[in-house]
Amino acid sequence: MATGAKPIVYQERKRLAFVAVMAFLAGFLFYIRTDLYIGGVHVALITGSVYAVIIGICALIVCIVLPSMRFMIEAVAVSRLILSLFVLAVPNMGYLILSNPLVTALVTVTGGIAVSRLIHGRIRRDTPKGIKGRLMPANMFKRLPVSVQGKPWQQRFVGWLEDAEPIPVRVSR
């Protein structure tokens, strides 16, 4: 397993680093207002490090098991960072959101869907045929080259993450 994951780790290195940095910043900002130290280290640093490690491992698992979902990884990471900035700016309402894990997950994933469209543009996939194709897409477990319809900066961002130029999509009108 470890040798099989090695090429995937190398291929996804930029995405995993991006997600780990975003996770560290989010965890750090969630707890920066507390005045708590563990072994002389501020709890925000510890929490940020734990977030980075746990979310980085989960991101790697998604890249290995469900590579077609890889674009949601960084979108959710950016969404989590935005939520942490909101908690920092509006602590009364922010900590209410954080106190309920279901609401936190709902806000983070919904924000991730919106952020994905913003940072990636429109990711195009082949339309599935039939009911079986809609319920269980054939390419769900494959890492295919991505087709992106978006602005030039979105194309560059996706190209940087993928380490390959995305296939531009032509829209006929």
Side-chain angles (χ1 to χ4, degrees), residues 15 30 40 70 74 93-94 115 123 129 134 141 155:
R15 177 173 283 117
F30 278 140
R70 65 189 184 272
E74 64 265 5
M93 191 148 74
V115 167
I123 298 170
K129 294 177 177 50
R134 290 187 193 283
F141 301 105
Q155 295 269 345

Side-chain angles (χ1 to χ4, degrees), residues 41-52:
V41 179
H42 196 277
V43 75
L45 290 171
I46 295 170
T47 306
S49 300
V50 169
Y51 265 52

Side-chain angles (χ1 to χ4, degrees), residues 29-34 87-88 90-100:
L29 292 175
F30 278 140
Y31 292 91
I32 192 68
R33 288 182 176 262
T34 62
V87 169
L88 190 63
V90 188
N92 292 338
M93 191 148 74
Y95 286 121
L96 275 176
I97 293 170
L98 283 183
S99 68
N100 187 335

Side-chain angles (χ1 to χ4, degrees), residues 111-152:
I113 292 168
V115 167
S116 178
R117 181 57 81 85
L118 177 72
I119 64 176
H120 300 126
R122 185 176 206 108
I123 298 170
R124 296 292 188 169
R125 292 181 172 82
D126 294 335
T127 54
K129 294 177 177 50
I131 234 144
K132 184 181 177 190
R134 290 187 193 283
L135 294 176
M136 187 64 145
N139 297 326
M140 190 171 176
F141 301 105
K142 296 178 185 169
R143 188 182 197 281
L144 299 173
V146 65
S147 296
V148 175
Q149 176 186 340
K151 295 180 172 54

Side-chain angles (χ1 to χ4, degrees), residues 18-87:
F18 180 81
V19 167
V21 167
M22 293 290 119
F24 174 82
L25 289 173
F28 181 81
L29 292 175
F30 278 140
Y31 292 91
I32 192 68
R33 288 182 176 262
T34 62
D35 193 28
L36 184 63
Y37 293 85
I38 298 174
V41 179
H42 196 277
V43 75
L45 290 171
I46 295 170
T47 306
S49 300
V50 169
Y51 265 52
V53 169
I54 299 290
I55 292 172
I57 291 170
C58 290
L60 177 61
I61 291 169
V62 168
C63 288
I64 292 169
V65 177
L66 288 169
S68 65
M69 295 289 293
R70 65 189 184 272
F71 292 102
M72 280 306 291
I73 296 170
E74 64 265 5
V76 169
V78 171
S79 173
R80 191 179 309 104
L81 180 63
I82 292 169
L83 177 62
S84 71
L85 290 170
F86 177 79
V87 169

